[in-house]
Amino acid sequence: NLNGIAAYGNGSYVAVTAQGQIWKRTGKTWSQVGSSPFPLVAVTAAGAGKAWAVGQMGVVATEAGGNWNLQIGNLGNSNLAAVHASGAKDVWAVGDNGFAAHFDGSTWSQAPTGDSHHLRGVWAAAPDDVWAVGLLGTILDFNGDAWEVLDSPATEIGRAHV
């Protein structure tokens, strides 16, 4: 099962599977380029050779120049559900129990939301303009300093594109 796909912007794509596989499409050919022992659920890219995938048990797979590296447990063992990059130095991941983390180009760090709902989608325009959505209509906005819980028109939002 394919769980996520992202475009590098150069005619190439990367996809992740529930079986923990990472696939890259160049031209008309797909090839497996990496794998994880845990299911991968989402992927994002920020130009050629820069991509991040997330999944269960807090797994983060990072591509740098065609090589994929796994980080397991560095962010705890929360299941991660979504990831988005506004650039190579601004990547956000969200998951269970209100978990959020930010990658600044060199290090992942937790970004506590103050919310306990499972988050299922994230979108970042910039380090100070990040939105996350989750179960029971949860909408969170990060302004660069703190997360704010916003009013929601929904009682259940699964995956949303803000």
Side-chain angles (χ1 to χ4, degrees):
N1 294 338
L2 292 173
N3 282 341
I5 190 166
Y8 287 104
N10 62 356
S12 297
Y13 302 86
V14 60
V16 296
T17 73
Q19 294 76 29
Q21 299 168 336
I22 304 168
W23 291 83
K24 182 176 182 179
R25 181 180 169 109
T26 304
K28 295 186 179 200
T29 305
W30 285 99
S31 56
Q32 187 174 347
V33 293
S35 65
S36 160
F38 301 106
L40 295 171
V41 298
V43 63
T44 189
K50 289 285 187 186
W52 298 264
V54 298
Q56 292 183 2
M57 298 302 295
V59 66
V60 176
T62 304
E63 180 192 17
N67 297 315
W68 284 86
N69 300 303
L70 286 180
Q71 299 172 12
I72 300 172
N74 291 3
L75 295 176
N77 62 0
S78 282
N79 291 328
L80 299 175
V83 62
H84 186 264
S86 72
K89 295 181 178 181
D90 184 36
V91 184
W92 290 85
V94 298
D96 288 354
N97 302 310
F99 182 86
H102 179 249
F103 180 72
D104 64 6
S106 61
T107 306
W108 280 98
S109 58
Q110 292 187 23
T113 65
D115 193 88
S116 62
H117 292 99
H118 295 334
L119 300 175
R120 295 295 177 251
V122 64
W123 183 81
D128 62 353
D129 187 9
V130 183
W131 294 77
V133 296
L135 300 183
L136 302 176
T138 301
I139 301 175
L140 304 175
D141 177 25
F142 185 74
N143 64 13
D145 294 316
W147 290 94
E148 178 184 0
V149 178
L150 301 178
D151 291 335
S152 171
T155 57
E156 178 85 20
I157 296 176
R159 294 204 182 268
H161 298 282
V162 179

